[in-house]
């Protein structure tokens, strides 16, 4: 398999992984807790939900950095 093809596959997987993690973080975990008037009370009640959403957001951030690292050798040429 071509080296550029392997790089493209890795970058594509990282793109998908970053997108899914960011969407799950914002839509499924953080938005229901942080929307509304009594968000401070819901943060305390949904502490695990906030932790999971934050962890997914950190994973998405690392995946975005991985995309740049994966594509650097190809774009450098």
């Amino acid at each position: 398999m071509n080296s550029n093809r392997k790089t493209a596959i890795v970058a594509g997987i990282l793109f998908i992984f970053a997108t899914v993690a960011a969407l799950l973080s914002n839509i499924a975990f953080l938005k229901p807790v942080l929307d509304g008037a009594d968000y401070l009370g819901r943060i305390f009640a949904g502490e695990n939900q906030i932790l999971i959403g934050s962890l997914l957001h950190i994973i998405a951030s690392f995946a975005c950095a991985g995309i740049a690292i994966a594509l650097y050798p190809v774009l450098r040429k």
Side-chain angles (χ1 to χ4, degrees):
M1 194 184 297
N2 189 353
S3 176
N4 287 339
R5 182 170 166 82
K6 287 181 186 178
T7 303
I9 290 172
V10 169
I13 290 171
L14 286 172
F15 267 112
I16 292 170
F17 196 65
T19 302
V20 169
L23 288 175
L24 278 176
S25 169
N26 290 329
I27 294 172
F29 291 103
L30 296 178
K31 188 173 181 173
V33 176
L34 298 177
D35 280 350
D38 187 27
Y39 64 92
L40 291 177
R42 284 188 282 171
I43 287 174
F44 182 72
E47 182 179 351
N48 289 334
Q49 192 172 356
I50 294 293
L51 288 174
I52 293 170
S54 300
L55 179 65
L56 283 171
H57 197 74
I58 290 170
I59 290 171
S61 300
F62 282 123
C64 288
I67 293 167
I69 293 168
L71 290 178
Y72 178 75
V74 175
L75 296 176
R76 186 180 63 179
K77 294 177 185 178

